[in-house]
Amino acid sequence: MRDLARYAQLVLGLRLTPAQLTAFQRYESELIAWNQRVNLTAIDQPSQIRTKHFLDSLTCLLAMRDTPMERVIDIGTGAGFPGLPLKIVCPSMQLTLVDSVAKKTAFCCHLVNLLGLERVEVLQERAENVGRMPAHRQQYDWAVARAVASLPVLMEYLLPLVKIGGCALAMKGESGPAEAHSAEHVMRVLGGKLRRVMRVELPTIEEERYLILVDKVAATPDRYPRRVGIPAKRPLL
Ligand code: SAM
């Protein structure tokens, strides 16, 4: 984990504690072990897990730190990215992890128990349904997602969950800037406003990476999110 410690310091100015590095080590071992039985991720080499999963997830902190992050929700979390790495370094946050696939939420639950993480809720549910539940709708300081859907679809998943004054964060590759600007109208329809497209550079990784930050400036109209499958089938224009 020395590479992760070095990169976190370099990219984020973050000094990971020995306890946090031990947690990441256990996360990595469990991910590799589970991945041999159930397919959770295509990234399964230790050095890649550290940069493309752990460090990449932690880059959300470039936008999140110094802002309220009491309640955070990660939509389409898969094997816990970016939510669980964020929770390991920010233990006071109340985190909700959402994925519709049972083997993925089972892995997240296993890891939460193994690492003794408190104030983490894991939901096997569709984002469209979570966005209509009073316990989750407009309750979050941050709604985050990586590699889940195109930006108009993702905005319909994320923005209903964010409270006014909070922010949606979409982690995107090279298409990020173009996607962000073409989705500005959709953001407005859902109560959001594009704040910033932030370029992120990671050591040893050539692909472009961006954080798309969307402020929640008004309530999301009641008709959104539409029912399961509709946002992806008929994305808002
Ligand atoms: N965020 C993780 C990462 O970056 O490694 C996983 C990315 S994976 C490509 C996309 C995940 O989103 C899958 O686990 C899938 O089950 C989940 N997903 C896609 N659409 C969803 C929806 N509408 N509701 C809940 N989960 C969804």
Side-chain angles (χ1 to χ4, degrees):
M1 286 294 139
R2 252 188 274 153
D3 46 355
L4 179 63
R6 199 172 68 247
Y7 293 152
Q9 174 85 57
L10 189 73
V11 177
L12 303 162
L14 185 68
R15 193 181 289 272
L16 296 173
T17 65
Q20 288 166 345
L21 289 168
T22 301
F24 280 115
Q25 182 65 65
R26 296 177 87 186
Y27 196 164
E28 179 183 294
S29 305
E30 291 301 308
L31 185 60
I32 291 170
W34 273 58
N35 218 33
Q36 284 162 2
R37 287 183 281 121
V38 283
N39 184 20
L40 294 171
T41 172
I43 297 167
D44 58 0
Q45 297 304 308
S47 66
Q48 298 225 320
I49 291 174
R50 291 170 200 170
T51 49
K52 293 193 171 179
H53 279 328
F54 297 157
L55 184 66
D56 191 40
S57 295
L58 292 177
T59 61
C60 292
L61 292 173
L62 292 168
M64 294 170 81
R65 64 184 168 196
D66 305 327
T67 73
M69 41 193 290
E70 172 72 13
R71 289 198 76 186
V72 177
I73 188 164
D74 177 7
I75 293 295
T77 189
F81 305 114
L84 283 176
L86 293 171
K87 176 69 183 175
I88 290 170
V89 302
C90 305
S92 63
M93 76 166 55
Q94 190 177 332
L95 175 67
T96 305
L97 300 174
V98 177
D99 204 288
S100 54
V101 175
K103 65 182 179 182
K104 301 197 176 180
T105 52
F107 176 74
C108 291
C109 287
H110 167 70
L111 210 57
V112 166
N113 291 331
L114 185 81
L115 300 182
L117 299 174
E118 290 171 357
R119 300 186 356 130
V120 181
E121 182 179 15
V122 182
L123 294 176
Q124 187 206 332
E125 190 48 274
R126 294 280 305 205
E128 300 92 317
N129 291 333
V130 181
R132 297 201 155 271
M133 296 174 185
H136 299 284
R137 187 177 176 87
Q138 295 192 156
Q139 298 297 316
Y140 290 90
D141 301 299
W142 287 90
V144 302
R146 185 181 79 160
V148 173
S150 68
L151 209 54
V153 179
L154 203 51
M155 287 297 111
E156 195 168 346
Y157 294 163
L158 297 184
L159 279 169
L161 297 159
V162 181
K163 61 178 161 191
I164 294 175
C167 194
L169 186 164
M171 305 179 75
K172 286 279 172 185
E174 62 177 349
S175 64
E179 278 194 69
H181 293 297
S182 63
E184 282 194 74
H185 174 68
V186 172
M187 294 170 193
R188 268 194 302 276
V189 168
L190 295 164
K193 184 174 190 304
L194 181 63
R195 182 204 300 177
R196 191 173 169 198
V197 178
M198 205 172 164
R199 173 95 193 254
V200 172
E201 299 201 33
L202 293 184
T204 76
I205 304 218
E206 283 183 10
E207 303 104 68
E208 290 177 33
R209 281 170 146 69
Y210 295 91
L211 305 180
I212 315 293
L213 304 173
V214 182
D215 288 321
K216 181 77 177 263
V217 295
T220 301
D222 286 346
R223 60 183 176 281
Y224 304 114
R226 290 166 291 166
R227 64 190 161 77
V228 167
I230 301 297
K233 199 165 151 195
R234 292 204 303 272
L236 294 171
L237 295 170

